[in-house]
Amino acid sequence: MTEQLVFFFGEGKADGDAKMKHTLGGKGANLAEMTNLGIPVPPGFTISTDCCGYVSKNKTWPKGLDKMVRTALARLEKVAGRKFGDARDPLLVSVRSGAASSMPGMMDTVLNLGLSPQSVKGLAKKTGNPRLAWDSYRRFVNMFGNVVCGVSHELFEEAMAAVKAQHGAQKDLDLDAAAMEDLAKRYLKIFEKATGEAFPSDPWEQLQRAINAVFQSWDNERAVTYRRLNKITGLRGTAVNVQTMVFGNYGDTSATGVCFTRDPSTGENVFYGEFLPNAQGEDVVAGIRTPLPIADIDKHIPGTYEKLIGIKHQLEEHYHDVQDIEFTVQEGELFMLQTRTGKRTGKAAVRIAVEMVKEKLISKKDAIRQVDPAALDQLLHPDFDPHCERKEIGKGLPASPGAASGRIYFSAEDAEAAAARSEAVILVRHETSPEDIGGMHVSKGILTSRGGMTSHAAVVARGMGTCCVAGCGEISIDDKNKTMTSRGITLKEGDWISLDGSLGKVYEGKLPTIDPQFSKEFETLMGWADEKRRLKVRTNADTPKDCEVARRFGAQGIGLCRTEHMFFDEARIMAVREMIVAANKEQRRAALDKLLPHQRSDFIGIFKAMDGLPVTIRLLDPPLHEFLPLTEESQAEVAKSMGVKVDVIRRKVSELHEINPMLGHRGCRLGLTHPEIYEMQVRAIVEAVAACEQEGVKVLPEIMHPLVATRTELTQLRAMTERVIEEVRQESGLKADILIGTMIEVPRAALTADEIAEEADFFSFGTNDLTQMTFGFSRDDTGPILIHYQTTGILDVDPFACLDVTGVGQLVRMAVEKGRKTRRSLKCGICGEHGGDPKSIAFCNEVGLDYVSCSPYRVPIARLAAAQASLGQVTATE
Amino acid sequence: MTEQLVFFFGEGKADGDAKMKHTLGGKGANLAEMTNLGIPVPPGFTISTDCCGYVSKNKTWPKGLDKMVRTALARLEKVAGRKFGDARDPLLVSVRSGAASSMPGMMDTVLNLGLSPQSVKGLAKKTGNPRLAWDSYRRFVNMFGNVVCGVSHELFEEAMAAVKAQHGAQKDLDLDAAAMEDLAKRYLKIFEKATGEAFPSDPWEQLQRAINAVFQSWDNERAVTYRRLNKITGLRGTAVNVQTMVFGNYGDTSATGVCFTRDPSTGENVFYGEFLPNAQGEDVVAGIRTPLPIADIDKHIPGTYEKLIGIKHQLEEHYHDVQDIEFTVQEGELFMLQTRTGKRTGKAAVRIAVEMVKEKLISKKDAIRQVDPAALDQLLHPDFDPHCERKEIGKGLPASPGAASGRIYFSAEDAEAAAARSEAVILVRHETSPEDIGGMHVSKGILTSRGGMTSHAAVVARGMGTCCVAGCGEISIDDKNKTMTSRGITLKEGDWISLDGSLGKVYEGKLPTIDPQFSKEFETLMGWADEKRRLKVRTNADTPKDCEVARRFGAQGIGLCRTEHMFFDEARIMAVREMIVAANKEQRRAALDKLLPHQRSDFIGIFKAMDGLPVTIRLLDPPLHEFLPLTEESQAEVAKSMGVKVDVIRRKVSELHEINPMLGHRGCRLGLTHPEIYEMQVRAIVEAVAACEQEGVKVLPEIMHPLVATRTELTQLRAMTERVIEEVRQESGLKADILIGTMIEVPRAALTADEIAEEADFFSFGTNDLTQMTFGFSRDDTGPILIHYQTTGILDVDPFACLDVTGVGQLVRMAVEKGRKTRRSLKCGICGEHGGDPKSIAFCNEVGLDYVSCSPYRVPIARLAAAQASLGQVTATE
């Protein structure tokens, strides 16, 4: 490695810029960009992400890096007019991580680096502010000890508490310079005791070790987990930013703060954020003290608000997006320490995008590109029924919108265990930390008693789309006994509460929910998306109710209507079972005759709900044994009500038992060995079409045969289907053309799509099964393996969530090409889970599918993702 | 259809020839060929197979056929000098089926067609042989009634028995003309009663209906089953041969017979066959009378034997192969009615091929091409131990060689049911008929009390390679009570007997067997095959004993050594279970440490047995639950001997339970989640290599990782494998290069073979699993579906027996191409069941695999098939 590894910024000019995120990380690239924009940024330099990758692999610095860092440091000394390690006027620096993708709180930071027992005195003298010097020194020892040497944070906290108690101080602000000096010395002793070494006083050693610690933090467990959960892949490592310190803890006209250029929760165009006077660095984010609203900053340091607003406008105009910024004021002088694209709720994302178009900051295309389709998910889920009775037991900050009910658990571990038992979980914590990521991920909602809108809990919950009430000081939590008390009510582990993350309210018990209402900005954005997309969006729906929801969300048809769900209905399951245990064809037909009218009326309901739109109905797919009772008790019950001996049921259950049901007697195999089942279903569909036609409903039916692996299966099924259609046409004067097609969900079907297309009017890719068979992964069995594979880097993502373009995608692409070669007009769609995944939708667009089909609640996500795909926003193979 | 549909032969010239089998069927094509050769053949004409296909589809004759048949008939009348339907001197014809592939007994024949109540008298007068006339007439009524109108054969048999009794006759030969007339008239009444119509006397109507019956017989159940069992596909239908009758039942200087130009059982170059004096048509084949050896024919009709020998030489020189011929002698004049390639035992096939090369009748290449590799199977199976005690209870004809023990069953149905219970079955019948095909197929051996070497049972058994003792008159069978008695011993259903099909002997009980000895002709042929083939042949072997058998059979290495079988050994299974229920890594390692020496010594045994040849070892493949006990009893036992609570076992069993184990936690997934298992195995292999090297054994080890679906799996496994190899190399001075490769058995592995080849020295196609996943067919569950699919024409063959070239083959071809693009030297082989299937081997040759690997007993088959593939004998895609 001989290229440039260190990039300087300062004095209005930088080596890098915002486009160099991959090399400089997000933080470094934007520090460079802001420097170039003339925004006040403390000078510094960034060590490239390549170095992190190199160090992670080779356990040593790349050749030349040492020299480049020393050169940059010398330049920094020159610009700052201070020497690193100078005993009288030391240059102090911060050392921060920063990868190309934002990973808040996942990696480490060391501030005030360069202090030593000598220079802390020099700093005190030079600044005339011994409290600043000792506060800075004790913070440095704490952070260096914790980040570089793994000394427990708790040890330092205990010392802080002891000193506070000794001085009768409530807050750390109440500690004077002497107390801070005392504290710093205690910290040094803690460090020595914990590590067995003296605290290093050579600033170059401090710097090297801090840089290495940041590199290492890239591979720590929580960072790896974060990247897995957030599907962050393909990065080289973290960059390291070494920057001249400015001090928010210089005194009363100093402060540090975090702001969003617009409200990240609602999207409203107001400057939004918090600050802590006389504080440093991580105090805000960590939620240790409760910060003040940014609008009040002029009360402490006049003129600052206007400066911030100016920078807000400059940044939004430059970046064309909402920015999340960090700043420090040192004795009235404002410095920007970070800017990055602001994370926001789905609701905010939509409003911001649409309003920015109106403000002419961005184009409609930009607006479509700007909103993460996955974030819409939050908008599409139910809210509490406004009319329901509720008992409020607390109010905190509306940190992440949405509504959730669940059982309370007081540790991430307990939450994960409960979620594994399929419980709905609300995680209740004083404050959350990166260690809690796993528990937060499985929770329906998060409640904290401390911390602000930018606390760890709030930021992470918004990113996850999980509802969160933060800083609800009313509640007191007893971790030991696993109870919480608020307004005189004590709840224990496992009790139900409900959270309204949009209002910041906490309710006792479980509350009923209603469907979400869409904002006009949402409708506007969806309208723009619909103009741009080529892919149609259908839905997977089995009931008229599903259909209604999906139409409201903009579905353009049903891509998958599963008929087996109808079989489980109480009124029918007995006839289904009679059909299965039938001793011969006649008995089976008799049972099917009972089912026919039910199925017909199911389809009538669905066709009416989808009036004018295509409806793809899949014939019976699961193996018959799924409909039979497994326990002895229920077998006896069923036998009794069917009037047969329990042996008959038992024998049938054992006869139908399969070792690998996924690869067994299901799908069209059933239709071929038991033709009367599919015949009944086809008849029910076609009679329903005819009935609807008579009522003036426009039906566009598509009959789909599942699990086809060979052309001849479909030849025979098509012949049967056409025969039944013709029969009903004769009987009822049916008018509709009915398409006949197949799922492509078996690898062989994709491989022989040219042959199969001879018999199919359409293909629908069942990528769930196709993924199972292509990988040889049973969804039912390989969950833990998939997690192991993602953790150990064998798989980047779960191939059941995001389509495996390399393998499964190859089959999809091949099938579309081969199929259309045989039949140019072949309609192609997808109805697996992937139909609602934005990246998979991009792939579907790329290979020329006609539509994607997904669950009703994901339809808007798919509409937006399809538009982004049309705009070339996302490429599936990137 | 306006082309030629009817092909005339007669007077030394024919419209067709032997190359036109697809159009004329085998029989028709060879009748034409013999006519052209100047061999005496009764003149006639053949209606093409296209007509059968047309009639089967359209239920009517193609345009023009009626006219063409009438024209041919007129020509036949001219040549024969007799008129069809002439009351005084009628032209009589036979109507026989004949498809392009021989399907003995599967379709129907009508003889003596053209007789009526008037012309039978004319025939009697004209020939001066009223017995001939009435015998012919009653046969005609019987066959027409049975074949064309479905009248039960039994009804006619009963009448025959009654007339015999009335005349005190033992055999039908004892019946005089009057008795025959009586019989004919009874037959006519039977016909009328059964069909409700008068027997047709118009010869043209007789002819039309007989032709239609032959067409229809193509689609009858036993013909369809025969084609499925024999994998006969792609035919258009049967041809119909209409031929002037000659009469073997003309009197004492008349006869009918069936011969092979060489002994079809041993291959010895002797003229071999049987005849019946004064008999007609099917009497020989049906086994109703026991025929005489052909060598004795001159005693009855002097000079005939020499004529037959002349024709034998002429046919063998012309066809370059053994012929199976039918002839009739009418009053001393010889006529050939059929010639076709003679079916033979594997032993005979080898001897004939090698001797014909020595006789300069054929080339070595022809010899290789002439032997059906599948037929070798018979040679490669054990014989009875010559030293074992045995009690002979009967002796019949050695109808199909080999040795078999099994339980006796007296009907095809019972045999099938017992086979379904995995019993070894011997089918015992008076005689077999085409209806018994299913039962014969599942039997280890067949014993009949009647019928000769060319009886149905004998012919079919030889074709199937099933051992058969035919015509064992000593045994008497009581169908009703399901017993057989012979030499005073009565055996009941389910009792064991043993058959020696090479000696024709029947023994009581179950006898021990020994491995077969190879003839020198076999070695010669194999030597020729080895010269011609490109594909290497390896074996699938897990024990030194398997290795020895396979080397003796010519295996050039091990393509698949499964390590899991070693785990089931009694001495080890407990350590395996300890390993599985281990609470942590340390316990697991401790258990594995116990297994290591066992595995090492397994591998030492195998390496020594395969000295100088490559050995591919597959690491543990099945899911761990396969090693745990499932019943409560055995769980308790295991818990006790392991010293743990039974709950520990039970919990582990339930924890490891999988819904679809085929797609579950197995193969390299185990190796990645439990790295210590594969590490132990790799160490055992490498230590075994080192130990063998020290003893001077040459080892060529190949370590194979199963179930790989992604490159990264193999990256990690390869790193582990290389590390352990390096460790052992340091410890022991190991010299061998060890190849590291993977199974390609998951569709995704084939699709991404270019990536996977970066980490693999070799690919081995596991086409069993690949077929399961590509089709979505679980071998454990879809057996009945596969049968249904073959019966209904959805699949031509079982894709687990014969590689599905269209689908699975596409993946194999793709993987070879992609893999070699990445790594030119990539070694590719196959180790699924298909590696021993001749047609699949042809495909493997075509796509450029380096070797096939199959079970030891199939190695010679694979060697021959590989040579045929090199000679272009078989193309997989034909």
Side-chain angles (χ1 to χ4, degrees), chain A residues 669 713 748 776 789 804, chain B residues 669 713 748 776 789 804 810:
Chain A
R669 297 165 193 175
E713 287 168 321
R748 195 181 186 280
Y789 272 24
D804 161 50
Chain B
R669 296 166 194 175
E713 287 169 322
R748 195 180 186 281
Y789 272 24
D804 161 50
Q810 216 178 121

Side-chain angles (χ1 to χ4, degrees), chain A residues 586-634:
Chain A
E586 287 63 44
Q587 282 185 21
R588 196 174 308 130
R589 259 187 225 286
L592 285 165
D593 285 347
K594 290 189 203 165
L595 286 169
L596 178 69
H598 290 295
Q599 286 249 297
R600 190 176 47 221
S601 72
D602 291 333
F603 294 131
I604 290 175
I606 286 167
F607 291 148
K608 285 185 179 170
M610 298 307 286
D611 189 359
L613 296 177
V615 175
T616 307
I617 296 170
R618 181 178 72 184
L619 302 183
L620 193 68
D621 186 54
L624 293 181
H625 52 73
E626 287 196 8
F627 299 99
L628 291 182
L630 284 179
T631 66
E632 279 194 27
E633 264 182 353
S634 56

Side-chain angles (χ1 to χ4, degrees), chain B residues 383-395:
Chain B
D383 200 353
F384 293 132
D385 179 350
H387 306 300
C388 76
E389 293 221 349
R390 60 190 78 187
K391 180 168 186 187
E392 189 179 309
I393 55 170
K395 185 162 186 331

Side-chain angles (χ1 to χ4, degrees), chain B residues 53-373:
Chain B
Y54 185 94
V55 170
S56 166
K57 205 171 152 193
N58 301 288
K59 312 297 168 203
T60 174
W61 282 17
K63 219 180 136 217
L65 178 59
D66 186 274
K67 200 176 155 206
M68 291 184 208
V69 172
R70 286 181 195 267
T71 306
L73 196 62
R75 192 167 160 196
L76 196 58
E77 287 175 327
K78 212 172 143 200
V79 169
R82 282 198 292 277
K83 289 278 174 196
F84 197 48
D86 188 326
R88 283 156 309 172
D89 185 11
L91 169 67
L92 302 187
V93 297
S94 62
V95 177
R96 293 176 208 255
S97 63
S101 291
S102 168
M103 298 168 60
M106 286 303 120
M107 290 178 303
D108 295 318
T109 295
V110 178
L111 301 182
N112 309 330
L113 187 140
L115 281 174
S116 67
Q118 288 72 46
S119 63
V120 67
K121 287 177 196 151
L123 181 66
K125 205 163 168 193
K126 176 80 188 172
T127 59
N129 188 339
R131 186 188 181 282
L132 162 71
W134 288 106
D135 184 30
S136 299
Y137 193 38
R138 66 99 189 165
R139 287 173 188 269
F140 171 48
V141 175
N142 181 340
M143 280 187 271
F144 189 93
N146 182 245
V147 169
V148 180
C149 304
V151 181
S152 164
H153 191 64
E154 309 285 312
L155 298 172
F156 299 115
E157 288 284 286
E158 281 167 18
M160 166 72 92
V163 171
K164 274 187 191 165
Q166 194 179 322
H167 291 78
Q170 290 295 320
K171 295 179 290 183
D172 45 355
L173 278 184
D174 301 335
L175 296 175
D176 62 11
M180 283 297 178
E181 185 176 348
D182 176 20
L183 198 55
K185 286 173 178 166
R186 288 181 190 230
Y187 278 17
L188 285 169
K189 278 197 193 115
I190 289 168
F191 180 93
E192 279 167 30
K193 198 173 162 198
T195 63
E197 62 161 328
F199 191 85
S201 56
D202 172 20
W204 178 249
E205 182 192 342
Q206 292 172 357
L207 182 62
Q208 276 182 314
R209 292 177 68 178
I211 289 170
N212 282 331
V214 171
F215 284 152
Q216 278 163 28
S217 69
W218 175 255
D219 287 322
N220 72 27
E221 206 187 311
R222 61 176 202 265
V224 171
T225 304
Y226 185 93
R227 289 198 293 273
R228 174 167 63 79
L229 291 177
N230 290 278
K231 300 181 188 172
I232 297 173
T233 58
L235 300 191
R236 303 174 203 164
T238 180
V240 182
N241 299 289
V242 178
Q243 202 176 5
T244 315
M245 280 300 304
V246 287
F247 297 94
N249 57 340
Y250 211 100
D252 291 342
T253 58
S254 297
T256 187
V258 174
C259 293
F260 286 81
T261 56
R262 305 192 180 206
D263 185 330
S265 188
T266 65
E268 195 186 348
N269 188 1
V270 293
F271 193 61
Y272 178 94
E274 300 159 326
F275 75 101
L276 277 174
N278 198 7
Q280 205 179 30
E282 314 300 288
D283 295 353
V284 185
V285 176
I288 289 167
R289 278 196 267 154
T290 299
L292 309 173
I294 195 68
D296 295 345
I297 196 165
D298 276 7
K299 291 182 199 159
H300 294 257
I301 316 164
T304 306
Y305 191 74
E306 196 185 338
K307 281 187 219 157
L308 281 169
I309 292 292
I311 286 172
K312 163 204 155 111
H313 288 307
Q314 193 180 0
L315 289 175
E316 280 198 347
E317 269 160 37
H318 183 73
Y319 284 103
H320 306 294
D321 204 348
V322 170
Q323 296 297 300
D324 165 358
I325 58 179
E326 290 178 24
F327 67 90
T328 284
V329 185
Q330 177 175 334
E331 296 197 296
E333 189 178 355
L334 175 66
F335 295 94
M336 302 305 295
L337 296 183
Q338 164 144 315
T339 189
R340 58 184 174 190
T341 306
K343 297 209 173 192
R344 67 208 75 176
T345 64
K347 192 174 163 188
V350 171
R351 180 165 174 182
I352 290 166
V354 172
E355 290 189 350
M356 279 191 163
V357 172
K358 290 187 184 150
E359 295 163 22
K360 299 206 174 6
L361 274 172
I362 60 173
S363 70
K364 284 184 191 177
K365 283 185 187 176
D366 291 334
I368 291 169
R369 287 193 186 104
Q370 197 183 76
V371 179
D372 175 6

Side-chain angles (χ1 to χ4, degrees), chain B residues 540-544 546-547 558 560-563 565-566 602 606:
Chain B
N540 299 348
D542 308 337
T543 65
D546 286 352
C547 295
I558 293 186
L560 176 63
C561 173
R562 286 161 292 229
T563 52
H565 291 186
M566 305 169 181
D602 291 332
I606 286 167

